[in-house]
Amino acid sequence: MKKIKTLLITFFMITVSIIMLSGCGKTGTASTNTLESVKKAGVLKIGLEDSFPPMEFRDSNNKLVGFDVDMATEIGKRLGVKTQFVSTDFNGIILALKSGKFDAIISGMNITDERKKQIDFSKPYFMSGEIMIVKNGNTTITKSDDLVGKTVGVELGTTGDTAAQNLDKKLKDKYSKGIKEIKKYDKATDVLQDLQAGRCDVVIIDEPVGRYYTSAPGKKGKYRVLSEKLVSEATGIGFKKDNKELEESVQKAVDDMQKDGTLSKLSIKWFGTDEYKK
C-alpha cells in the first residue's frame, strides 16, 4: 500500500513539473514580438512586400525605398531601436506576422473586417482606395460596367483582388455576364507589366501605386487612371493580436510624426501632395 502511495505521489510530482515547464514554455513564446523583446533586441522588424511603389519598392540600385520605409525607419528611431525590413509575399504576410517572423506589418495594408479577425491594426495613417488602370490609348474602358467580358489583373491577396471579385458578382447580377477572367499576380509590378504587354485589359490596384505608375519617370504616358474609384479604404499598421504595448508605442510615434509635420514631409516627397493637410 505504501509503495502504491509512493508511486502516486511521484507520478503527481512529475505531472506538476511537466505542467509548470509547459507553462514556462508558453510564456516564453508569448513574450516574442512584444515591446519588451523589441527593446531588448534593439531592432524593430517590419514585414513588407517590396514591389509596391511608392509605398515600398526597390530603386535602380536595389535599395529598399518608399513612404512606408521612411515612416517605419523613423518609428524605429523614436522607439530607440533600429528598423529591419523583412520582404515577404503579400499573400502570406499576415501568416508570417502571426508566426513571429516580424513585429509588425507596414506594407500599404488596407484595414478590412476580414483582416481584423486575424490581426490588430493601428489607427489609419493613410487614406487609399481601389482604382482601375488601363493602357494609354485604350478608349473602350471608361467605367466599371465596361469590364464585362474583359480580363482583369490584380495582385494576389490584396483588396484589389477582393474588389475585382465583388465587381464580377455585381456585373453578373446586372448583366448576367461578368468579368471574363481575373488574373492574379504575386507582385504589383508584374500585373502592370502584363497590362502594358496586352495580356490583361485593365488592372485594379491601390490608388497610390496606380497613380505612381501614371506619373513616375519612365512610366508617364504608358497608363491611364479611370476617374471612377471602386472602393475607399484606410491603410494601417498590422500587429499580432493583443500586442497592445507595442501597438500603443508605435501609434504614439506615428501620432507625433503627424503633429510635428514629419508625415507631411514624407507625403510631399513620395506623393507630391500633403495628404495630412487639414
Side-chain angles (χ1 to χ4, degrees):
M1 190 70 174
K2 287 182 179 179
K3 288 183 177 179
I4 294 173
K5 285 183 178 180
T6 302
L7 287 170
L8 287 171
I9 291 169
T10 302
F11 177 76
F12 175 76
M13 294 300 293
I14 291 171
T15 303
V16 170
S17 297
I18 291 171
I19 291 171
M20 289 179 70
L21 287 170
S22 176
C24 289
K26 288 179 181 177
T27 302
T29 301
S31 66
T32 59
N33 305 110
T34 62
L35 179 63
E36 182 182 0
S37 67
V38 166
K39 293 275 191 180
K40 187 174 182 180
V43 177
L44 176 67
K45 293 183 179 180
I46 298 297
L48 50 70
E49 194 268 285
D50 62 4
S51 62
F52 203 63
M55 305 306 280
E56 46 270 331
F57 64 105
R58 300 281 174 179
D59 67 10
S60 58
N61 296 315
N62 201 38
K63 181 182 177 183
L64 187 63
V65 296
F67 178 89
D68 283 340
V69 175
D70 285 352
M71 184 179 76
T73 301
E74 181 63 24
I75 289 171
K77 288 179 181 177
R78 296 186 185 217
L79 292 183
V81 298
K82 294 180 179 179
T83 303
Q84 178 182 328
F85 297 98
V86 182
S87 296
T88 307
D89 284 343
F90 197 83
N91 193 44
I93 202 166
I94 288 179
L95 182 61
L97 172 68
K98 292 168 70 175
S99 68
K101 190 174 180 181
F102 35 77
D103 305 302
I105 297 171
I106 303 182
S107 189
M109 177 171 277
N110 294 323
I111 302 169
T112 68
D113 290 338
E114 192 62 34
R115 287 171 179 164
K116 285 195 288 186
K117 293 176 184 177
Q118 300 185 69
I119 61 175
D120 289 336
F121 280 97
S122 67
K123 293 187 294 187
Y125 69 86
F126 188 81
M127 294 307 297
S128 181
E130 297 304 317
I131 58 174
M132 295 172 285
I133 297 179
V134 296
K135 190 176 178 180
N136 205 22
N138 183 340
T139 58
T140 62
I141 301 174
T142 60
K143 57 187 183 302
S144 59
D145 282 9
D146 296 334
L147 270 57
V148 172
K150 299 295 193 296
T151 299
V152 177
V154 298
E155 184 180 356
L156 181 65
T158 63
T159 47
D161 186 351
T162 303
Q165 294 176 53
N166 291 339
L167 179 59
D168 183 42
K169 293 175 184 177
K170 179 183 174 183
L171 293 174
K172 285 176 179 175
D173 289 341
K174 190 173 181 179
Y175 300 107
S176 300
K177 185 179 179 182
I179 293 169
K180 178 182 178 181
E181 181 186 3
I182 299 175
K183 296 184 72 173
K184 302 186 181 187
Y185 300 77
D186 289 330
K187 296 181 181 295
T189 47
D190 293 339
V191 64
L192 286 161
Q193 285 173 3
D194 260 17
L195 175 63
Q196 189 63 34
R199 286 186 281 269
C200 56
D201 302 303
V202 61
V203 167
I204 296 177
I205 198 167
D206 266 18
E207 185 171 8
V209 183
R211 296 204 179 279
Y212 172 83
Y213 268 92
T214 61
S215 60
K219 297 177 176 63
K220 193 171 183 179
K222 290 185 176 182
Y223 306 101
R224 179 170 61 88
V225 175
L226 304 189
S227 59
E228 179 184 355
K229 184 184 287 190
L230 294 177
V231 187
S232 292
E233 298 162 322
T235 302
I237 302 171
F239 301 90
K240 289 171 72 174
K241 282 285 186 183
D242 301 319
N243 198 355
K244 293 300 179 186
E245 195 174 11
L246 178 61
E247 182 180 339
E248 288 170 1
S249 295
V250 170
Q251 185 63 65
K252 183 181 184 306
V254 175
D255 289 344
D256 289 346
M257 289 167 69
Q258 184 166 357
K259 290 175 186 175
D260 65 24
T262 300
L263 289 184
S264 291
K265 291 177 183 177
L266 294 182
S267 178
I268 293 169
K269 175 182 177 180
W270 292 107
F271 308 127
T273 59
D274 184 358
E275 298 291 331
Y276 300 91
K277 189 175 181 180
K278 295 181 179 179

